[in-house]
Amino acid sequence: MPSRRQFLTNAAILSAAAAAPGLAQHHTTESIHGKLPPSLAALQSRAAEAKPITADERRQRLERARQLMQQNKLDAIFLFGGTSLVYFTGIDWWNSERLFALVLPQKGTPFLVCPAFEEGRAREQIAKGPLDPDTDVLTWQEDESPYERVAQGLRARGIGAGNLGIEERVTYVFSSGVAQAAPQLTLSSATPVTAGCRMIKSEHELALMRLANQVTLAAYKAAYQALKPGMTQDDFAALVATAHSRLGFKGEASVQVGEYSALPHGSATPQVVREGTILLIDGGCSVEGYASDISRTFVLGKPAGPAADKMRRVFDIVHQAQAAALAAAKPGVEAQSVDAAARQVIDSAGFGPNYAHFTHRLGHGIGMDGHEWPYLVRGDTLALAPAMCFSDEPGIYLRGEFGVRLEDDMHITADGAQLFTPQSPSLEHPFG
């Protein structure tokens, strides 16, 4: 399923193709580099810097998963196509109504359940990853039950009446089918295992995320330098996408102009960029499966009109809130305390209380998914640990006027936290 940002960005690119055929052509083919804006034409690919996750790294992840399964009294976990399956095995599988799943026991060998006609494709991917090439693939024909294959595989490993952890994104039809085929099983959440592994990043993962963030910030800067009055938000989104492509990666951004910047997740309403009007952009890219998520708020030229001073003041408050959150983030503190540090700045400046104008949580975990466990939000008492990664994105949104959000991704260090990218200095000079 496309994300909210992907939906808005895809709409932007299609609109750009109709409204600005030349720009859309550059986005889709980049066939005439000489006609690209100079700031985009100067970009060089950084794709060679991205080193893939190895099969050995994935084997270490599988062993860590088994340790967490033991701690959480799970006899096995059940994964279907999606991020966690890629994380552990490298198998990238598109989900349909046909069940394809991996069952990883705490003890014993893993097995897959696969439509019979897909076995060749499955084994092709198995051969490239951490699983044994002879891993059991239990196939089912179109008139057979895949859930019986799951039960069969579990019984063969002595887990006919055990505790099976279900990955949180497994759809109900699949978990229900397993429950009916193996009624002696107890079904529980596998999140303590999947999130428990994924939320602590390795040095390699941090390096990929650092590169992703650097690429997105460079793409934003190049697009900003090419921005001109009269462009639509779709034109600017196409510039951002083209800049990412020039840097060697697929990236995107949603773009909101003027009063629409007060809607945190934007609007599809056609918008035109004018001198002195706020733009809020939110996007990122993926580098070997690892995401960036950056927001910048700026004006073309200088803030103009009766709200100019207010724009600057709100920007400064959000900047201070982002810095306060960064200072509060460190190992051992509760996730909610980081949200509270940013919210205190905004509340004290008169834009509270609670979610009055800072309408969302401070941040979300980030890694292979743009949004993943854990979250920086009131009520989350999880203690932060080194190598966790989050967005740090406070905002103030004034309906009918404008909104300001500043978002950079950060990682928890041994004694604090660091941003992958520098904070944005001002509305007029968003990239320093």
Side-chain angles (χ1 to χ4, degrees), residues 328-335 338 374 376 382-386 388 390 410 412:
K330 61 188 66 175
V333 306
E334 293 182 350
V338 185
L376 302 176
L382 177 74
L384 302 190
M388 288 182 176
F390 302 93
M410 64 180 176
I412 308 302

Side-chain angles (χ1 to χ4, degrees), residues 124-207:
E124 182 179 66
Q125 294 204 48
I126 290 170
K128 298 177 182 178
L131 300 179
D132 189 293
D134 295 325
T135 293
D136 285 346
V137 177
L138 307 183
T139 61
W140 55 279
Q141 298 292 349
E142 295 279 56
D143 60 347
E144 296 177 327
S145 168
Y147 312 113
E148 292 295 340
R149 296 291 184 271
V150 175
Q152 171 191 337
L154 287 168
R155 286 194 299 270
R157 288 155 180 82
I159 315 175
N163 191 4
L164 178 65
I166 303 293
E167 183 198 356
E168 64 180 308
R169 295 192 179 182
V170 172
T171 51
Y172 176 77
V173 66
F174 293 154
S175 59
S176 175
V178 171
Q180 292 178 46
Q184 302 304 312
L185 283 176
T186 298
L187 302 191
S188 303
S189 171
T191 298
V193 177
T194 54
C197 288
R198 288 175 51 190
M199 68 184 177
I200 305 296
K201 271 62 178 182
S202 68
E203 287 299 323
H204 188 175
E205 290 176 294
L206 291 175

Side-chain angles (χ1 to χ4, degrees), residues 74-304:
L74 294 174
D75 295 295
I77 59 173
F78 178 96
L79 309 175
F80 81 153
T83 309
S84 287
L85 184 64
V86 175
Y87 175 85
F88 288 113
T89 70
I91 296 173
D92 190 358
W93 201 270
W94 177 76
N95 292 314
S96 70
E97 75 282 6
R98 295 182 175 99
L99 176 65
F100 177 91
L102 170 77
V103 178
L104 176 67
Q106 183 195 133
K107 300 175 182 178
T109 58
F111 65 93
L112 290 118
V113 174
C114 175
F117 72 92
E118 295 274 37
E119 182 178 1
R121 185 161 71 96
R123 290 203 176 278
E124 182 179 66
Q125 294 204 48
I126 290 170
K128 298 177 182 178
L131 300 179
D132 189 293
D134 295 325
T135 293
D136 285 346
V137 177
L138 307 183
T139 61
W140 55 279
Q141 298 292 349
E142 295 279 56
D143 60 347
E144 296 177 327
S145 168
Y147 312 113
E148 292 295 340
R149 296 291 184 271
V150 175
Q152 171 191 337
L154 287 168
R155 286 194 299 270
R157 288 155 180 82
I159 315 175
N163 191 4
L164 178 65
I166 303 293
E167 183 198 356
E168 64 180 308
R169 295 192 179 182
V170 172
T171 51
Y172 176 77
V173 66
F174 293 154
S175 59
S176 175
V178 171
Q180 292 178 46
Q184 302 304 312
L185 283 176
T186 298
L187 302 191
S188 303
S189 171
T191 298
V193 177
T194 54
C197 288
R198 288 175 51 190
M199 68 184 177
I200 305 296
K201 271 62 178 182
S202 68
E203 287 299 323
H204 188 175
E205 290 176 294
L206 291 175
L208 292 172
M209 294 182 68
R210 186 174 294 109
L211 178 57
N213 278 271
Q214 291 172 354
V215 163
T216 291
L217 193 63
Y220 281 6
K221 182 177 181 179
Y224 168 76
Q225 291 171 338
L227 181 63
K228 298 183 184 301
M231 285 185 175
T232 67
Q233 89 270 36
D234 302 338
D235 295 333
F236 190 68
L239 284 173
V240 171
T242 300
H244 275 98
S245 179
R246 294 281 295 168
L247 288 158
F249 302 95
K250 183 178 180 180
E252 60 188 20
S254 63
V255 181
Q256 306 306 321
V257 181
E259 66 183 286
Y260 298 103
S261 62
L263 304 175
H265 279 172
S267 168
T269 302
Q271 302 158 41
V272 177
V273 178
R274 306 191 189 285
E275 290 271 1
T277 300
I278 273 187
L279 283 82
L280 194 163
I281 63 174
D282 176 18
C285 70
S286 178
V287 172
E288 288 295 329
Y290 287 83
S292 59
D293 192 2
I294 298 177
S295 296
R296 287 292 180 265
T297 305
F298 53 84
V299 295
L300 179 59
K302 295 184 177 181

Side-chain angles (χ1 to χ4, degrees), residues 224 277-279 296-303 307-316 402-404 406 424-431:
Y224 168 76
T277 300
I278 273 187
L279 283 82
R296 287 292 180 265
T297 305
F298 53 84
V299 295
L300 179 59
K302 295 184 177 181
D309 289 341
K310 190 176 185 180
M311 290 181 194
R312 291 191 180 95
R313 176 171 175 259
V314 169
F315 181 97
D316 288 343
F402 62 87
V404 173
L406 297 176
S424 180
S426 68
L427 280 174
E428 296 94 332
H429 303 287
F431 303 99

